[in-house]
Amino acid sequence: MANDMFIGKKSKAAGGWGALKSCGKQLLETRKPLAGAMTMLKANQPDGFDCPGCAWGDPNHGSSFEFCENGVKAVAWEATKLRVPPEFFAKNSVSQLRTWSDYDLEHQGRLTNPMRYNAATDHYEPVTWQAAFDEIGATLRGLDPDQVEFYTSGRASNEAAFLYQTFVRLYGTNNFPDCSNMCHEASGVALTDAIGIGKGTVLLEDFEKADAIFVFGQNPGTNHPRMLADLRKATERGAQVVVFNTLKEKGLVRFADPQKKLEMLVGGSEPTSTMYFQPRLGGDMAAARGMAKIVFAADEAARAAGRAPIIDDAFLTEHTDGLDDWRALVEATPWTVIEEQSGLTQADLTRAAEVYMTSNATIATWAMGITQHRHSVQTIREISNFMFLRGNIGREGAGLCPVRGHSNVQGDRTVGINEKAPKALLDAMERELGVPMPRTPGHNVLEAIGAMLAGTAKVFVGLGGNFARATPDSALIAQAMDKLDMTVHVATKLNHCHLLPGKVGFVFPCLGRTEIDRNSLGVRQIVTVEDSMSMVHGSGGINLPASAELKSEVAIVAGLAKATVGSAVVDWDAMADDNDKIRELMSRVLPGFHDYNTRVRVPRGFWLRNPASEREFRTPTAKANFGTFDLPGQTEWQMRADTADTFVLQTMRSHDQYNTTVYAMNDRYRGVYGEREVVFINPADMEGLAVASGDRVTIVTQSTDGIERRIAGFRVVPYDIPRGCLAGYYPELNALVPYNSFGDRSFTPTSKSVLVKVTRDAA
Ligand SMILES: Nc1nc2c(c(=O)[nH]1)N[C@H]1C(S)=C(S)[C@@H](COP(=O)(O)OP(=O)(O)OC[C@H]3O[C@@H](n4cnc5c(=O)[nH]c(N)nc54)[C@H](O)[C@@H]3O)O[C@H]1N2
Ligand SMILES: Nc1nc2c(c(=O)[nH]1)N[C@H]1C(S)=C(S)[C@@H](COP(=O)(O)OP(=O)(O)OC[C@H]3O[C@@H](n4cnc5c(=O)[nH]c(N)nc54)[C@H](O)[C@@H]3O)O[C@H]1N2
Ligand SMILES: [Mo]
């Protein structure tokens, strides 16, 4: 049985599962509630398990589970023995639970039963799956489909996401707000215009061949720990790793490879970067422009002296469009502006540019430090422009690499979670299903919030995630959710979003990726996911389900669909019972998914071809396009008043959290223990504010819309961060992020540049 190839084989690879075990043991010793994870750690190493931690590629997928400390946390978090049964909800009203912390809610353990919120008692009460589906179906049938918001979080498998978009489009809307709207949306928008596809162009193997790797606005030590091993290998073989990060992040300075000695648990031992620059928040576009300016000047000098040119004339002529306009703009941009916005000197940028100019193969990676600003799309275009200059795309060891967040956020987009679905997808769906698909674009996250606030959205359905805590302006979002007639959440653990149920709320407990999913014939099911390098592979669970009542995400989506749109077009029961059937449908609709069921069952799965990585640019010009954009008139850093108390704040992740899930209260690499209500600040700025280490402060957003956004009692932590810049943790700081401040064309909340005022709290 093909499905069974994913279980029961012992790994011969070193490190891998054995090391995971010891790593897990350490974790479990310090964290009793996770003791249940041992069951899983004792299990045989399964072939083909996709870590729910992050979207970094896995070189040995299918033969060993490449792990990292934070991957273990993600797995252990799901494998807890603790349960949230109906009695828990009988004991605690929703109003009471709202006063709990994010940490306390999720630490109660796994949800076990479908629950329905009864406004009369203010409690969630048990409900049968069928009664719940029927009630939701009846409600949805009574609404205009555009009055419903269908959210997706990026852990959902390709199968669940594809079935969900099929259901929602048959129902009649493109309202697909999803977590990528808050995440890498700017990368998708910018890369589509620049290279004709909104995805990265590198494979994991390219990291072994690059001469230089530029890492912009990303903290892999915490968020993509397996990437550190690749960076360390790169520096070990003499490649340059050039980091641009506002904070001095420990993992980007040195790193110990857990595959070797579990050194990672005690801190780094080999360099991960060779140069480290700390731009001001929002200063990366200026930094990239400064480097380009240096490259152009050096190229001109080389040609004048009769030396080999520095820019790649052949590539630029044959494959790109718009160089001259951009070059003119770069040359016209004064160094004073570049230095002021980036906070880096011409000398700094010259050192970085020299690395670029002497490297024959360069990779640029980036994440949220680039994508969560107003000018994120422009910044990614500037980075792409810079990379084009030496033809760093579409060849070995070179390329553009947005490092994705959730383990399947890229896959969800590929299979149709997109409020602005490509015409080709809708055409293919129509052809396959024989019924018209909705053609008007739907709501992204911000539009969904707008519709909820306006009262035009009536129902919210969440396939995973924690919409209420992941979105900005927490207080406003709570008001928006409260107005809803109905909420439906598919989840593994209880979170704050579930405590904003509207008039009627449902919480559906689902199987996690670590759990064995058997169909009615007892056949184990696998799901599939796509990583940051466009590799698509299978993943099968290894643990017994947390409760006999759990359903797979696929089965829950099918249940909702059947009750809402009926089974005339799609046989939902058949889909719910056999993921192969869903994959058969996908293979007929999605380009590149032929023989899907076979190709996901080989080690590493298969690569979804990216034409840009072979220099085939599917843009209107059929070339890679230079983007010519002015630098921001002012970055938020520049907008600060000329007083010692105004700052620009970024909101980011600690080492012990997964987005809104707080595993523990520590942030080891940054030296913070037992608390999260902190704000990192430059010691010189502490003097200006007359605060000492440990003092508490109040932070108020400099709002332009009259809404007061304030948090108090946050402890200042002196840190290596540029003056005028602050950093702290999300979701606690989301109360300060205005929902109406977002990126140009990406509509991503500007979570990395919030203009704030800080005052010292009375002792
Ligand atoms: N363990 C763990 N893994 C995760 C996650 C998690 O929460 N926990 N989340 C997942 C998800 S959904 C995502 S999107 C990714 C997120 O991965 P990251 O993007 O690494 O996440 P953040 O914690 O937001 O870190 C942002 C980094 O950018 C830097 N930065 C901020 N602003 C600027 C700027 O203007 N310029 C520059 N150059 N640097 C800047 C910050 O100092 C910080 O190091 O990780 C994924 N993986
Ligand atoms: N201020 C600020 N805000 C941000 C960010 C930031 O950097 N700063 N980052 C943004 C980014 S990059 C992202 S991606 C979003 C994240 O937004 P979301 O994806 O909405 O949030 P998560 O915290 O990842 O969701 C956690 C919940 O998912 C559920 N869950 C976990 N595993 C599963 C599963 O297998 N199936 C199902 N159905 N549910 C599951 C659990 O109930 C858990 O409580 O937040 C964004 N918000
Ligand atoms: Mo993300």
Side-chain angles (χ1 to χ4, degrees), residues 179-180 182-184 368 372 404-406 409 653 659 730:
C179 73
S180 59
M182 298 180 271
C183 185
H184 261 294
M368 298 303 103
Q372 296 178 333
R404 303 281 161 179
H406 267 299
V409 64
R653 294 148 176 82
N659 297 340
Y730 120 86

Side-chain angles (χ1 to χ4, degrees), residues 174-383:
N174 285 307
N175 282 351
F176 287 109
D178 90 301
C179 73
S180 59
N181 296 143
M182 298 180 271
C183 185
H184 261 294
E185 190 72 56
S187 305
V189 172
L191 293 179
T192 301
D193 287 352
I195 59 170
I197 182 170
K199 296 183 184 183
T201 65
V202 304
L203 290 170
L204 210 46
E205 289 83 345
D206 289 311
F207 282 82
E208 293 163 16
K209 295 170 186 148
D211 292 338
I213 302 164
F214 280 60
V215 180
F216 293 96
Q218 195 197 340
N219 182 24
T222 287
N223 298 314
H224 307 94
R226 287 175 296 124
M227 177 179 175
L228 284 192
D230 294 298
L231 294 181
R232 165 172 155 163
K233 271 186 243 154
T235 61
E236 278 172 355
R237 65 179 172 76
Q240 301 283 325
V241 175
V242 181
V243 170
F244 288 83
N245 195 307
T246 302
L247 292 184
K248 193 56 86 53
E249 301 284 23
K250 202 167 173 181
L252 282 169
V253 181
R254 300 183 76 79
F255 169 62
D257 191 339
Q259 301 280 12
K260 296 186 177 166
K261 291 185 202 143
L262 289 177
E263 296 161 317
M264 195 166 160
L265 289 164
V266 292
S269 81
E270 288 293 328
T272 37
S273 63
T274 47
M275 278 187 199
Y276 205 116
F277 300 101
Q278 292 178 264
R280 290 173 179 148
L281 292 170
D284 301 84
M285 184 178 180
R289 179 153 305 177
M291 290 190 286
K293 215 172 154 73
I294 291 154
V295 172
F296 283 129
D299 182 68
E300 214 168 274
R303 284 173 206 259
R307 293 194 307 271
I310 287 165
I311 65 177
D312 183 343
D313 288 329
F315 172 77
L316 292 169
T317 312
E318 193 187 342
H319 291 292
T320 69
D321 192 63
L323 170 65
D324 294 344
D325 286 348
W326 180 59
R327 181 169 186 156
L329 182 65
V330 171
E331 287 175 343
T333 309
W335 274 109
T336 46
V337 175
I338 291 171
E339 291 192 332
E340 157 104 351
Q341 289 198 358
S342 69
L344 303 173
T345 63
Q346 185 175 346
D348 287 336
L349 292 170
T350 303
R351 283 202 299 135
E354 274 164 4
V355 171
Y356 179 78
M357 291 189 286
T358 48
S359 156
N360 287 321
T362 303
I363 292 174
T365 78
W366 66 88
M368 298 303 103
I370 296 301
T371 63
Q372 296 178 333
H373 296 284
R374 249 184 321 127
H375 55 294
S376 295
V377 170
Q378 296 93 317
T379 303
I380 296 162
R381 294 300 296 276
E382 198 77 12
I383 292 171

Side-chain angles (χ1 to χ4, degrees), residues 562-579:
K562 185 182 175 189
T564 308
V565 299
S567 297
V569 177
V570 174
D571 182 351
W572 300 105
D573 287 336
M575 296 286 169
D577 203 40
D578 186 356
N579 290 359

Side-chain angles (χ1 to χ4, degrees), residues 456-478:
T456 51
K458 301 293 180 196
V459 174
F460 176 95
V461 181
L463 181 58
N466 187 355
F467 185 83
R469 293 293 281 159
T471 45
D473 258 331
S474 314
L476 204 72
I477 300 303

